[in-house]
Amino acid sequence: MIRVLLADDQLLVRAGFRALLDLQDDLTVVGEAGDGEAAVRLTREIVPDVVLMDIRMPRMDGLEATRRIAEDPALSSVRVVVLTTFELDEYVFEALRSGAAGFLVKDTEPADLLRAIRVAVAGDALLSPGVTRRLIGEFAARSKAPEAVPEGLSDISMLTEREREVLALVGMGLSNEEIARRLVVSPLTAKTHVSRAMVKLGARDRAQLVVLAYESGLVRPGWLG
């Protein structure tokens, strides 16, 4: 059973998510929070598998709440999925840097939301279905050229040439299956390369690999040079 905590300041939004999730045999809502402080407190008390976290909330926004959860060693198993009203919310890329497993727009189809929760628990990157590449490209293009490796992560120089190639493909939003086809290897081999890169770089999950690919300059759609 996948245990989910809902964090959103709108009661009707939480009620809608609860009604959807409680209909699933493998999902259950174990708590609700109406602001960021409550979200962090309840996450520490309940330790859910997934937190559906709204960005804009009172007392503490979802960005800071996500950062606090990601930095707590006792919550290393918790995956935070950021929810945003707009596809190009300026905080989404920063949410990924803060440790979110990914993000979804609130008008995502119910089937995609359910799939997303299960994907997050599995440890895969969750970047809003159907718009992953365009959104990440938008945020990267708006960012300044990288000056340093994101805090807590290691430099990509320790990766092999193939692992750097795989990291770049992860940064472009490709799945393991797509990477396998691109490199003409098996999906298992692609997954192994991704896992090794994650371990070497100290990445919490696949989403942090995406961030590192951009901020290391390995992928730079909007940067000159």
Side-chain angles (χ1 to χ4, degrees):
M1 184 68 71
I2 298 174
R3 303 163 68 249
V4 182
L5 173 68
L6 305 177
D8 195 296
D9 62 339
Q10 297 183 45
L11 180 59
L12 286 177
V13 171
R14 298 201 308 270
F17 284 142
R18 176 182 282 275
L20 173 64
L21 300 184
D22 282 345
L23 287 174
Q24 311 305 309
D25 293 336
D26 61 335
L27 302 174
T28 183
V29 175
V30 293
E32 296 185 26
D35 60 71
E37 288 186 3
V40 174
R41 186 186 73 254
L42 286 175
T43 299
R44 288 171 175 162
E45 292 176 0
I46 301 172
V47 191
D49 298 305
V50 176
V51 179
L52 292 183
M53 181 82 75
D54 187 25
I55 287 184
R56 296 180 176 88
M57 292 188 292
R59 300 180 67 185
M60 179 190 297
D61 64 25
L63 193 63
E64 179 61 25
T66 296
R67 183 178 295 111
R68 295 193 184 189
I69 291 171
E71 291 176 349
D72 190 335
L75 303 177
S76 61
S77 64
V78 178
R79 295 291 177 261
V80 177
V81 176
V82 169
L83 297 169
T84 178
T85 304
F86 305 104
E87 290 183 353
L88 295 181
D89 192 302
E90 68 268 27
Y91 295 115
V92 171
F93 195 69
E94 185 61 29
L96 296 179
R97 294 187 80 252
S98 299
F103 70 91
L104 288 172
V105 289
K106 285 187 176 179
D107 61 356
T108 294
E109 291 293 326
D112 286 333
L113 173 64
L114 297 174
R115 186 182 308 113
I117 293 172
R118 296 171 178 126
V119 165
V121 171
D124 291 329
L126 171 57
L127 304 171
S128 206
V131 293
T132 299
R133 296 165 181 80
R134 179 173 63 81
L135 287 180
I136 291 301
E138 286 281 350
F139 292 117
R142 293 180 183 185
S143 300
K144 295 180 180 179
E147 298 178 354
V149 175
E151 184 178 355
L153 299 179
S154 301
D155 191 275
I156 65 170
S157 62
M158 65 178 58
L159 300 181
T160 65
E161 182 177 350
R162 175 47 63 92
E163 287 166 350
R164 284 195 295 272
E165 186 177 9
V166 168
L167 177 60
L169 295 175
V170 170
M172 292 166 60
L174 272 65
S175 67
N176 287 345
E177 289 72 20
E178 291 169 327
I179 292 173
R181 288 196 293 270
R182 181 74 65 87
L183 300 180
V184 195
V185 298
S186 71
L188 179 59
T189 297
K191 181 178 181 179
T192 298
H193 285 310
V194 172
S195 298
R196 286 176 179 170
M198 195 176 298
V199 171
K200 287 183 178 181
L201 297 172
R204 173 186 173 95
D205 52 32
R206 195 183 183 100
Q208 280 201 327
L209 288 183
V210 174
V211 173
L212 187 55
Y214 281 100
E215 298 210 335
S216 66
L218 195 60
V219 180
R220 49 175 76 190
W223 299 318
L224 299 177

